[in-house]
Amino acid sequence: MKSKMKPQTNEFVQAIGELAAAQQQLARQAEQQYSFEVNSILRDQCCEPQRIECLLDGMLDFCFDDEMLRLYKKLCRYYFKIDPVATASYVYAYREMWDEKGDV
């Protein structure tokens, strides 16, 4: 019975590895696209809450990735000067979704 379980386990582990690699590739693509938008907001000194919050909403799904988290924090720091209450809600949203240690 053990010999039958082992090939299935290996296939399962391989499938998990492939999903993890695809997740990281998707995160890299998302980070590149969001980076362009975030830098545009910072460069143009944009103060439009809808535009900034739309980005933060989308970026939150990718904050498992360190580079995306760095970008998310960068935009939150900028947005804090515009709307501290809204920014705090995005920090708490991150903590609820991703933060296990409380280190935002």
Side-chain angles (χ1 to χ4, degrees):
M1 209 183 255
K2 286 184 180 181
S3 62
K4 288 184 179 181
M5 293 297 285
K6 195 166 189 167
Q8 290 176 343
T9 302
N10 288 339
E11 290 173 13
F12 181 71
V13 169
Q14 183 179 355
I16 295 292
E18 290 170 3
L19 285 173
Q23 181 184 32
Q24 287 302 314
Q25 183 180 18
L26 185 59
R28 290 286 61 74
Q29 292 172 349
E31 192 264 333
Q32 288 174 355
Q33 292 176 353
Y34 280 113
S35 181
F36 177 80
E37 291 297 322
V38 168
N39 290 331
S40 176
I41 284 174
L42 299 177
R43 180 187 64 243
D44 298 341
Q45 299 282 303
C46 175
C47 295
E48 299 172 31
Q50 283 185 318
R51 183 176 174 198
I52 296 169
E53 290 178 13
C54 183
L55 284 177
L56 288 169
D57 287 336
M59 292 167 70
L60 185 58
D61 292 333
F62 293 97
C63 281
F64 62 87
D65 178 77
D66 288 341
E67 289 302 310
M68 185 62 82
L69 178 57
R70 179 192 58 77
L71 197 57
Y72 187 83
K73 288 179 177 182
K74 184 178 183 179
L75 188 55
C76 281
R77 287 183 188 109
Y78 174 80
Y79 194 39
F80 186 78
K81 297 171 190 168
I82 298 166
D83 190 339
V85 174
T87 304
S89 72
Y90 282 98
V91 171
Y92 288 123
Y94 165 79
R95 286 181 176 166
E96 279 186 27
M97 191 168 190
W98 298 111
D99 192 25
E100 296 175 11
K101 300 176 267 179
D103 61 23
V104 170

